[in-house]
């Protein structure tokens, strides 16, 4: 998936989101998590520039058109779910769309219904997606800077893997997968993945 296709996918996803949705983003440094969230925020028409909220941890972006706010969280520096709980995200969860970067293993406690997205650049397919690096976590996602300057890595390919959990995604997830298939067909490399068992079976019972 090219960066332009990732933007298109984010726009399509935005059209399916509603208040109370939780998105958990995984991917190594520079994978494009913040870039994806920027595209999502643009499609949702929220106020404020979306940047990596590393030092603020969480930022709320109110809607400009009476829709739900976007709460953007960076859990990179949080050591456990208790620290995430201290942010009191539960109080805003039902009225907002919440996106948690580096949230795998932590943010699932916020809701049994969530959409997991793992973004893996093609240059990083030998690594473990979503793992944390010992390198300093800068305030700017590298792809965010590349995107703004229209640098040479603008068309770097990436794979997005999805995992839907909970009954609230039963009706929406097939539509989202259809969007993925359409984008994958348009991609000359076809490098776009959607998980073959996307729903958490226990949550569907």
């Amino acid at each position: 998936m090219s960066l332009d296709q990732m933007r298109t996918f984010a726009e399509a996803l935005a059209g399916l989101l509603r208040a109370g949705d939780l998105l958990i983003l995984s991917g190594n440094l520079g994978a494009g998590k913040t870039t994806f969230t920027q595209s999502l925020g643009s499609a949702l028409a929220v106020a404020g520039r979306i940047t990596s909220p590393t030092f603020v941890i969480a930022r709320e972006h109110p809607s400009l058109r009476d829709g739900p706010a976007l709460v953007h969280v960076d859990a990179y520096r949080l050591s456990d779910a208790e620290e995430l709980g201290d942010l009191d995200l539960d109080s805003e969860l039902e009225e907002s769309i919440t996106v948690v970067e580096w949230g795998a293993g932590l943010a699932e406690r916020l809701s049994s219904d969530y959409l997991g997205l793992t973004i893996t650049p093609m240059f990083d397919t030998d690594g473990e997606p979503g793992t944390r690096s010992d390198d300093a976590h800068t305030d700017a996602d590298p792809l965010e800077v590349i995107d703004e300057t229209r640098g040479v890595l603008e068309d770097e390919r990436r794979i997005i893997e999805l995992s839907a959990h909970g009954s609230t995604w039963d009706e929406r997830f097939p539509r989202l997968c259809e969007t993925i298939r359409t984008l994958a067909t348009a991609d000359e490399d076809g490098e776009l993945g959607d998980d073959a068992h996307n729903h958490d079976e226990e949550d569907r019972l």
Side-chain angles (χ1 to χ4, degrees):
M1 177 187 282
S2 69
L3 193 56
D4 282 341
Q5 287 173 318
M6 189 165 74
R7 292 191 190 99
T8 300
F9 171 69
E11 292 169 1
L13 175 59
L16 296 175
L17 294 178
R18 57 199 184 203
D21 281 339
L22 171 65
L23 277 62
I24 301 177
L25 306 189
S26 302
N28 290 330
L29 290 172
K33 299 181 296 296
T34 299
T35 300
F36 177 85
T37 307
Q38 288 173 336
S39 299
L40 189 67
S42 176
L44 291 170
V46 298
R49 181 173 178 270
I50 294 176
T51 60
S52 179
T54 303
F55 300 106
V56 179
I57 306 298
R59 288 193 180 104
E60 180 177 354
H61 299 268
S63 174
L64 296 173
R65 58 185 184 195
D66 298 325
L70 175 66
V71 176
H72 183 204
V73 183
D74 189 328
Y76 185 85
R77 296 184 184 278
L78 302 182
S79 59
D80 52 41
E82 183 177 351
E83 288 188 3
L84 183 66
D86 290 341
L87 298 178
D88 197 27
L89 297 175
D90 307 66
S91 63
E92 301 178 344
L93 192 64
E94 292 186 3
E95 300 177 354
S96 306
I97 294 169
T98 304
V99 177
V100 184
E101 297 186 28
W102 302 100
L106 298 175
E108 293 88 348
R109 64 167 294 279
L110 294 173
S111 175
S112 59
D113 293 74
Y114 64 91
L115 182 67
L117 298 90
T118 300
I119 304 175
T120 307
M122 295 306 295
F123 60 76
D124 194 32
T125 51
D126 291 334
E128 291 293 330
T131 57
R132 302 184 182 207
S133 168
D134 291 333
D135 297 336
H137 184 47
T138 60
D139 187 52
D141 187 320
L143 277 183
E144 174 190 329
V145 177
I146 292 167
D147 181 28
E148 291 180 353
T149 58
R150 311 297 288 185
V152 295
L153 294 183
E154 169 72 16
D155 290 326
E156 186 70 55
R157 294 296 196 262
R158 55 196 47 77
I159 297 172
I160 295 183
E161 297 174 273
L162 303 177
S163 178
H165 303 260
S167 60
T168 63
W169 284 99
D170 283 348
E171 184 272 332
R172 292 179 291 168
F173 194 71
R175 293 159 59 189
L176 188 59
C177 288
E178 185 59 34
T179 299
I180 289 177
R181 294 187 188 99
T182 300
L183 288 173
T185 300
D187 190 339
E188 62 182 4
D189 296 324
E191 297 292 354
L192 178 63
D194 62 274
D195 202 331
H197 44 283
N198 296 288
H199 281 285
D200 183 341
E201 294 297 328
E202 292 184 358
D203 286 341
R204 294 183 67 190
L205 294 178

